[in-house]
Amino acid sequence: MIAKIGRGANIIGALSYNNLKVDQENGTIVATHRIRETVNGQYTVNQLYSSFEPYLMANKRTEKPVLHISLNPNPKDNVSDEDFKKIAKEYMELMGYGDQPYVVFKHTDIERTHIHIVSTCVDRYGKKLPDSYEKLRSMEACRSLEQQFQLLPATVKNRNPKEAIFKPVDYKEANVKSQIASVVRHLPKYYQYQSLGAYKALLSLFNITAEEVKGELNGIPKQGLVYFALNEMGQKATNPFKSSLFGKQAGMDSLQEYFEKSKEKMKTEPAKEILKKTIAVAIHSSYDETDFKKQLLEQGVNTIVRRNDQGRIYGITFIDHESRTVCNGSQLGKNLSANVFHELWKNDGTQKVQNDSKINKIDLSKNQEKDSKPENEKPHALFDFHNGNNSILSNTDCGLIESLGSLLPNPQGEDYEEQAFANQMQKKAKRRNYRSKK
């Protein structure tokens, strides 16, 4: 069994994401602990939140008081609801959260039936519960539960020390070509993207960019692709690498075929609608571009914004690491297009241009504004899956999320009452920060 522990600041998002699965008949609530009961046994997000509110309001200094844990048995394990209930209870007690309020959701929307536990890591007095050696204790808890409930054990995967790590490229190192190859070869296995722009947005998380090369050979039009490593400022830091160096799948012809396959696949998947609702909630509960990006990043979504020299937003791309899809704003709907976000953040963009004009004096001009990536536009923790420090994998190859547990996005319905709750929490947090600064 694999456990994934996520922490965040938005419990409304965690509850809404899981409750949406229930509403779509892809999930059920199998257990609750210290949660107020309802007459019919059914729960809304508001009702669940009311049991957590006293703990969150008492919180003193913890920035991320929300726990969102996924427990993932091997797909070959046949675990009953009653066993899932016992497993969740035992796990929470072993981790020191046995006295906390929590809700246990079972997800059945994919082959790997698993549970999510939403809780809080601050006690009723607002004090953070100890989390020392959490990963080690979690692994030990999983091994104990595997024996207790006769689950298939997770096994350690032997890793080749020469294996390239799937992580952002460091242009200062000697093996830049190998680093780029590791990323370019792995992305199609895990992500769906429908255009070159979306592909380049995903590459940018790894300090890589790609450019089209067009020309003619013996009167026949030719189209190719070259790759570059980027420096800390988002500028090209290496000579170009031909796509042929990384295999056929890195070239334009194969990518065009992949774009079409992704379009067809994404038409039938619910990920697009979930991502739209996630973004809609972030728009309503954020107060500027930075806060918007931060909220989405905490839920496993990177936001890539492209501006021209005048500060106008001409493109915006969302990378959802839960569903592993990459979508331009216009693909999600007219209300999420680049123009909409330009109007929403117009003042932020103007201020950015003014700041960049000052930087121009030290010779970091237009290219930086076009290509630079703000600090919060970094790869999500998802990409640690190839790192030798995270070597616990299931004993069947069930894909990326099997080895990680689940990432925890914040898809939330367009329910104005729930949005009001999110806004209320935002205001309360601001008031707490203001009082703490006095």
Side-chain angles (χ1 to χ4, degrees), residues 203-221:
L203 287 174
S204 71
L205 296 184
F206 301 93
N207 300 334
I208 303 171
T209 191
E211 286 188 0
E212 287 186 88
V213 178
K214 297 182 179 180
E216 288 189 1
L217 180 63
N218 298 326
I220 301 175

Side-chain angles (χ1 to χ4, degrees), residues 72 121 171 173 183 188 210 284 320 371 437:
N72 307 266
C121 61
Y171 72 95
E173 295 184 4
V183 174
H284 282 85
D320 181 1
D371 299 326
K437 291 179 182 178

Side-chain angles (χ1 to χ4, degrees), residues 75-128:
K76 294 181 180 180
D77 288 319
N78 186 15
V79 185
S80 66
D81 286 358
E82 187 62 29
D83 280 347
F84 267 132
K85 182 177 179 179
K86 294 177 181 177
I87 288 171
K89 183 176 184 297
E90 288 287 329
Y91 180 85
M92 293 298 278
E93 289 180 354
L94 289 170
M95 294 300 293
Y97 301 121
D99 292 330
Q100 295 295 96
Y102 60 82
V103 189
V104 183
F105 297 86
K106 182 178 76 169
H107 289 192
T108 57
D109 54 336
I110 58 177
E111 179 188 0
R112 178 180 46 81
T113 300
H114 58 285
I115 57 174
H116 283 223
I117 306 172
V118 179
S119 186
T120 174
C121 61
V122 294
D123 63 20
R124 66 186 66 187
Y125 305 107
K127 184 178 178 180
K128 183 180 178 182

Side-chain angles (χ1 to χ4, degrees), residues 46 281 284 412-424:
N46 299 352
V281 171
H284 282 85
Q412 190 165 333
E414 296 176 1
D415 181 90
Y416 292 103
E417 189 175 4
E418 292 178 12
Q419 291 175 5
F421 262 101
N423 291 335
Q424 181 183 0

Side-chain angles (χ1 to χ4, degrees), residues 11 29 85 105 198 315 406:
I11 199 166
I29 295 178
K85 182 177 179 179
F105 297 86
S406 293

